[in-house]
Amino acid sequence: MTDIALGVILPSSNRVVERATEARLAGRPVAACYARVPYGAMLAGDGAYDEAVFLTAADLLADAGVAALCWNATRGAALGFAPDERLCASVTRRTGLPMVTTALAARARIRRAGYRRLGLVVQGGADEAGLVGARFAGAGIAVGRVRPLGITENRLAAEVDPSRLDDAAREAASGSDAVLIWSTNLPGWRLPPALDGVPVLDATSLGTAALLAAAGLADGS
């Protein structure tokens, strides 16, 4: 048995997070435990999270003795980052465990790296791209070129051909300090760490790195 377990919460329609997480943790004395929340019922009517859904998932993962928790999904940037902050606080009060999210991890990583202009690849259409770009801009992160893929059903994002995702990332990287693949159901973890000299940030990998750090494990990224 491994010494440390990590808890990952993901949307019900996601096909990528487990694979990307297992690849990232390969060779480490760490195990990931997973819980899903219903994609269509995780939001309350006011646009915030339905925290009861997440508290149930967190309780189940806590039963497995995990050292930390991560909501590895990109919904937070569409809502604004404050709901993720409140969710983390609520889960920690309930379980006593540190909680991170992909959205908060991305914001912290981009600020820490000092990227001045961010390229974005989003799975949805222009409206989603504009909203996500505005949320990052509101957090003081300038957004340059945005490449929407036009995928409206979350499950189908996992089926994007790697060559199409590579092309979209290269387009978004033009004139940017870094490009962010902003969907944990896009296989961004399979892309190289840089394209044409521009760093590639994968949403799922950012969440996993933050989870490792929350559990007190050095990640090196």
Side-chain angles (χ1 to χ4, degrees):
M1 179 176 290
T2 54
D3 294 331
I4 299 176
L6 303 176
V8 181
I9 303 172
L10 67 152
S12 57
S13 53
N14 190 290
R15 293 185 174 186
V16 169
V17 165
E18 288 107 331
R19 283 110 196 130
T21 303
E22 294 302 317
R24 186 64 173 267
L25 299 183
R28 296 173 179 267
V30 181
C33 301
Y34 302 94
R36 290 174 178 264
V37 294
Y39 184 79
M42 63 183 175
L43 300 181
D46 58 359
Y49 291 116
D50 181 349
E51 291 191 354
V53 170
F54 290 88
L55 291 173
T56 297
D59 285 343
L60 293 173
L61 289 169
D63 284 348
V66 299
L69 296 160
C70 176
W71 166 228
N72 206 333
T74 53
R75 177 66 65 176
L79 296 175
F81 296 94
D84 273 45
E85 293 169 343
R86 292 193 294 269
L87 179 64
C88 288
S90 295
V91 168
T92 297
R93 281 195 301 270
R94 173 72 159 256
T95 65
L97 296 169
M99 168 86 168
V100 298
T101 76
T102 301
L104 298 180
R107 184 180 66 177
R109 173 69 180 278
I110 293 162
R111 286 175 170 173
R112 186 169 64 247
Y115 297 131
R116 294 169 296 175
R117 190 171 179 82
L118 182 70
L120 279 175
V121 177
V122 299
Q123 74 177 44
D127 288 347
E128 178 187 343
L131 177 58
V132 173
R135 296 299 192 191
F136 275 106
I141 298 168
V143 175
R145 184 167 295 188
V146 181
R147 179 67 167 83
L149 296 178
I151 300 167
T152 57
E153 184 178 347
N154 188 51
R155 177 178 58 82
L156 299 180
E159 300 177 8
V160 170
D161 188 273
S163 63
R164 182 186 178 197
L165 187 58
D166 184 282
D167 290 343
R170 290 181 189 277
E171 291 180 25
S174 178
S176 301
D177 296 322
V179 60
L180 176 61
I181 310 301
W182 196 240
S183 168
T184 62
N185 212 18
L186 287 172
W189 66 284
R190 295 186 179 276
L191 293 178
L195 293 170
D196 301 327
V198 178
V200 175
L201 306 177
D202 168 58
T204 308
S205 300
L206 292 174
T208 304
L211 177 59
L212 286 164
L217 301 172
D219 183 58
S221 66

